[in-house]
């Protein structure tokens, strides 16, 4: 039996997807899936996904879960990127892969990845665990994330510094690019980055410092940003 | 016990509790209390870290809630079950753990104190105590050791930042290899803070960090990563293809030490600019992370640190 036949013989896609995501569901389905948690403010995107006949999905409002049958971990990102490029509106996707029995855990991971992509203001796109690993580790450790959120608080309270840090992170640590983005002089930006270092102890010119500041800003933002995903 | 084992074990033990709660089966609350407190005690005896347990419990609660809470009424019951399980398990765990540690001789610390874990080769307990007492007369020392090795704890009546600074000065006075790890918590629950700071010391030394003064902030990601099973697994997937190629590892290390500056790294490595670009392109092909981006580079170095050393321990 092909996947499409299995789907058409089974309960409606929504119920089947819900069953799979909570660790239930019939045995005659593929053994492994890429689970996607997605968010798009564009109703056309959600409609396209809902109409997609090879996808199992649970959609509600601007977001939802998709299940893409996928035999191996390494193909999961590629399979979902193929889907993503065909969507027209801005869409963020968190992707995790796992076998049938693990899908409840995998779903939680995908949802956390979507939360992180939105909270850290990443561009629309497909995000796997390795792209957001630091933020993910921190999100799963409440003590660590509280510590980081406290660290960045003095920066968040100063709009000029916050704006400078966001531009610096969006330009991936490129100071000339960040200064252009903000239309300020390069030395003004350097001055603000030094102020950030003084307040947080994290050095924006070192890779580790960039990672720390990014994770701290994310830990702070996660408190208020939660994507709307359907309750299963 | 690894984090994966812990999650699996909690899930097994708690699944019947959540299912009974969702069905509102008679007597579920009593059974929930019993299961939670006995599990909490056994995990304390198995020496599972506190923050480790909290993270696992939080994850398992979410997973089980998603699995069994199928309607509104069940969701309310399950939420109640989650609260009972969380509070009972942690309080049983805490009591057993505090009882297991010998608190004799520790004074009640003033609020805002800090605990420092000490490991030294080359300085005796008396040397260590003297170095600290000269700087801070109110230090309380619980050190042991033979000859010129020392391990144990110091209690300083200072907050984290001041304590770290003082440790730095004391460290300068000491001979040999000395690691000092400063706790972040106020030392109100002394035995627990001691265990947490011991975990930090173990992590710092197993990562192969040089002697010095460390705070949780210095190894924050490593600390979070080694206690989150999904992250550890992903780190090892990232690193495995690299470990087969020492030249790429060496290149990455040089780039990290040069703060991501390729011009500086090529001088360290005595190679041509186009050679480093080619090697970094290879790293990206193998790992999916691009070392020319600072965040990816930092993650690659953490992955090498955690998987290259901790896992081979």
């Amino acid at each position: 039996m092909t996947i499409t036949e299995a789907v058409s013989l089974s309960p409606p896609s929504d119920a089947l997807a819900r069953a799979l995501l909570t660790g239930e569901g019939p045995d005659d389905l593929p053994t492994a899936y890429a689970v996607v948690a997605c968010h798009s403010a564009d109703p056309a995107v959600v409609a396209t996904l809902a109409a997609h006949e090879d996808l199992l999905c649970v959609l509600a409002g601007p977001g939802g879960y998709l299940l893409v049958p996928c035999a191996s971990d390494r193909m999961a990102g590629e399979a979902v990127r193929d889907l993503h490029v065909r969507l027209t509106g801005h869409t963020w996707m968190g992707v995790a892969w796992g076998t049938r029995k693990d899908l409840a855990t995998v779903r939680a991971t995908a949802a956390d990845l979507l939360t992180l992509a939105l909270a850290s203001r990443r561009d629309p796109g497909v995000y796997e665990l390795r792209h957001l690993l630091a933020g993910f580790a921190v999100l799963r450790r409440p003590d660590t994330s509280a510590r980081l959120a406290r660290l960045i608080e003095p920066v968040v309270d100063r709009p000029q510094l916050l704006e400078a840090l966001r531009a610096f992170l969006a330009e991936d640590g490129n100071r000339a690019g960040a200064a252009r983005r903000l239309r300020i002089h390069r030395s003004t930006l350097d001055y603000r980055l030094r102020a950030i270092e003084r307040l947080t102890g994290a050095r924006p010119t070192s890779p580790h410092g960039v990672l720390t500041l990014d994770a701290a800003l994310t830990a702070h933002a996660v408190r208020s940003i939660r994507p709307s995903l359907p309750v299963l | 016990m690894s984090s994966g084992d812990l999650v699996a074990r909690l899930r097994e033990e708690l699944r019947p509790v959540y299912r009974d709660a969702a069905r509102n089966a008679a007597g579920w609350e009593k059974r929930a209390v019993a299961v939670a407190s006995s599990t909490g005690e056994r995990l304390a005896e198995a020496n599972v870290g506190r923050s480790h347990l909290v993270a696992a419990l939080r994850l398992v609660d979410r997973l089980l809630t998603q699995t069994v809470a199928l309607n509104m009424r069940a969701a309310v019951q399950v939420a109640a079950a989650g609260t009972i399980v969380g509070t009972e398990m942690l309080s049983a765990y805490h009591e057993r753990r505090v009882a297991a540690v010998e608190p004799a001789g520790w004074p009640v610390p003033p609020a805002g104190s800090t605990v420092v874990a000490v490991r030294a080769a080359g300085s005796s307990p008396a040397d260590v105590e003297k170095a600290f007492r000269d700087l801070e007369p109110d230090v309380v020392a619980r050190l042991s050791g033979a000859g010129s090795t020392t391990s144990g704890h110091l209690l300083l009546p200072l907050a984290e930042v001041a304590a770290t600074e003082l440790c730095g000065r004391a460290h300068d006075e000491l001979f040999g290899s000395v690691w000092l790890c400063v706790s972040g918590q106020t030392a109100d629950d002394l035995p627990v803070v001691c265990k947490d700071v011991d975990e930090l010391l173990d992590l710092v030394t197993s990562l192969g960090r040089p002697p010095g003064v460390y705070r949780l902030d210095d190894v924050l990601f490593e600390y979070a990563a080694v206690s989150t099973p999904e992250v550890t697994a992903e780190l090892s997937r990232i690193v495995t293809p690299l470990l087969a190629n020492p030249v790429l590892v060496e290149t990455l290390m040089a780039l990290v030490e040069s703060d991501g500056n390729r011009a500086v790294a090529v001088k360290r490595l005595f190679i041509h600019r186009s050679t480093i670009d080619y090697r970094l392109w290879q790293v990206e092909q193998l790992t999916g992370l691009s070392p020319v981006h600072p965040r990816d580079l930092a993650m690659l170095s953490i992955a090498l640190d955690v998987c290259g050393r901790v896992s081979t321990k």
Side-chain angles (χ1 to χ4, degrees):
Chain A
M1 181 160 53
T2 69
I3 301 158
T4 332
E5 280 165 0
V7 172
S8 61
L9 292 174
S10 314
S13 152
D14 180 285
L16 190 56
R18 278 172 195 272
L20 282 168
L21 289 173
T22 48
E24 319 270 327
D27 287 332
D28 52 356
L29 291 174
T31 52
Y33 290 88
V35 176
V36 184
C38 70
H39 173 91
S40 179
D42 185 347
V45 169
V46 182
T48 314
L49 290 171
H52 200 301
E53 56 182 21
D54 286 339
L55 281 180
L56 290 172
C57 47
V58 187
L59 296 164
Y65 296 107
L66 316 171
L67 285 146
V68 184
C70 180
S72 109
D73 189 9
R74 274 174 306 169
M75 280 142 47
E78 217 43 58
V80 175
R81 271 187 288 274
D82 281 349
L83 179 68
H84 188 265
V85 293
R86 283 181 278 149
L87 299 171
T88 45
H90 286 183
T91 311
W92 288 260
M93 290 179 161
V95 186
W97 177 91
T99 54
R100 286 275 303 281
K101 64 176 174 33
D102 295 329
L103 288 187
T105 324
V106 172
R107 183 208 57 77
T109 303
D112 282 349
L113 291 175
L114 176 64
T115 305
L116 287 167
L118 295 172
S120 59
R121 300 181 168 224
R122 300 292 176 113
D123 292 332
V126 175
Y127 293 92
E128 295 172 80
L129 183 53
R130 64 181 59 197
H131 304 128
L132 300 167
L133 206 46
F136 185 82
V138 167
L139 189 67
R140 288 285 164 97
R141 293 286 313 225
D143 51 345
T144 314
S145 92
R147 212 179 156 92
L148 280 170
R150 262 201 316 277
L151 176 88
I152 203 72
E153 214 134 64
V155 175
V156 174
D157 291 343
R158 292 167 172 79
Q160 279 193 336
L161 296 186
L162 180 61
E163 176 194 66
L165 180 56
R166 284 202 174 127
F168 179 71
L169 291 172
E171 292 287 337
D172 228 338
N174 179 335
R175 278 177 286 172
R180 269 199 304 278
R181 182 182 277 242
L182 293 172
R183 296 168 197 278
I184 57 177
H185 196 271
R186 164 80 185 250
S187 57
T188 312
L189 181 80
D190 284 346
Y191 172 78
R192 291 185 189 169
L193 291 178
R194 276 199 301 278
I196 290 169
E197 180 176 348
R198 228 180 14 254
L199 289 168
T200 61
R203 192 159 53 90
T205 45
S206 82
H208 208 273
V210 177
L211 190 70
T212 305
L213 291 167
D214 183 30
L217 210 48
T218 307
H220 196 275
V222 159
R223 295 165 165 193
S224 51
I225 295 173
R226 287 279 167 186
S228 79
L229 286 165
V231 178
L232 298 174
Chain B
M1 191 182 317
S2 83
S3 300
D5 294 343
L6 181 59
V7 168
R9 178 164 164 191
L10 282 178
R11 214 171 153 189
E12 277 316 300
E13 305 243 8
L14 297 178
R15 194 195 312 268
V17 171
Y18 279 71
R19 283 214 191 275
D20 282 0
R23 289 204 308 266
N24 206 9
W28 71 263
E29 281 166 310
K30 263 193 188 146
R31 285 198 299 280
V33 172
V35 169
S37 46
S38 74
T39 309
E41 282 180 8
R42 271 178 289 125
L43 291 174
E45 280 157 20
N47 226 356
V48 172
R50 179 187 51 89
S51 41
H52 198 154
L53 171 62
V54 171
L57 192 55
R58 188 161 158 259
L59 177 63
V60 169
D61 177 62
R62 275 169 64 190
L63 295 176
L64 289 175
T65 303
Q66 291 278 4
T67 318
V68 302
L70 298 173
N71 58 49
M72 201 52 206
R73 185 183 293 171
V76 173
Q77 303 282 5
V78 168
T83 310
I84 292 176
V85 165
T87 50
E88 293 296 329
M89 188 179 296
L90 289 174
S91 77
Y93 167 87
H94 185 74
E95 275 169 27
R96 177 56 57 100
R97 207 162 178 222
V98 169
V101 181
E102 185 57 59
W106 282 104
V108 175
S113 298
T114 318
V115 173
V116 179
V118 181
R119 182 174 300 171
S123 288
S124 70
D127 297 337
V128 175
E129 187 167 347
K130 181 171 184 311
F132 276 87
R133 189 152 324 270
D134 288 348
L135 296 166
E136 174 54 64
D138 291 333
V139 65
V140 180
R142 288 282 167 273
L143 300 168
S144 60
S148 63
T149 63
T150 304
S151 64
H153 300 100
L154 299 162
L155 179 64
L156 295 171
L158 298 168
E160 185 179 351
V161 174
T164 308
E165 195 257 336
L166 184 116
C167 284
R169 284 192 283 148
H171 190 267
D172 291 342
E173 299 299 318
L174 291 165
F175 291 102
S177 306
V178 182
W179 285 266
L180 300 170
C181 288
V182 185
S183 77
Q185 301 285 338
T186 49
D188 51 353
D189 238 340
L190 225 35
V192 177
V193 178
C194 287
K195 284 214 160 184
D196 286 347
V197 79
D198 284 344
E199 271 181 40
L200 176 60
L201 179 63
D202 283 343
L203 177 65
V204 166
T205 49
S206 67
L207 287 169
R209 294 292 163 95
V213 181
Y214 293 90
R215 294 197 289 163
L216 181 55
D217 285 353
D218 299 320
V219 285
L220 203 56
F221 295 113
E222 292 84 350
Y223 187 77
V226 294
S227 59
T228 315
E230 283 160 287
V231 176
T232 326
E234 186 69 17
L235 287 174
S236 90
R237 276 196 290 272
I238 291 173
V239 157
T240 309
L242 283 180
L243 292 179
N245 195 332
V247 172
L248 296 184
V249 174
E250 181 201 30
T251 309
L252 277 176
M253 299 303 229
L255 189 62
V256 172
E257 279 159 27
S258 317
D259 272 351
N261 186 328
R262 274 176 279 176
V264 177
V266 292
K267 284 193 194 125
R268 273 174 197 261
L269 291 165
F270 297 106
I271 57 174
H272 195 263
R273 172 75 187 224
S274 59
T275 313
I276 197 173
D277 286 345
Y278 174 67
R279 289 185 190 168
L280 297 179
W281 177 83
Q282 283 180 300
V283 171
E284 185 175 355
Q285 297 306 304
L286 287 170
T287 64
L289 295 178
S290 167
V292 300
H293 300 307
R295 278 171 283 194
D296 282 5
L297 177 61
M299 210 57 219
L300 283 164
S301 96
I302 289 169
L304 283 170
D305 245 11
V306 170
C307 301
R309 298 187 209 260
V310 172
S311 62
T312 54
K313 194 174 57 164

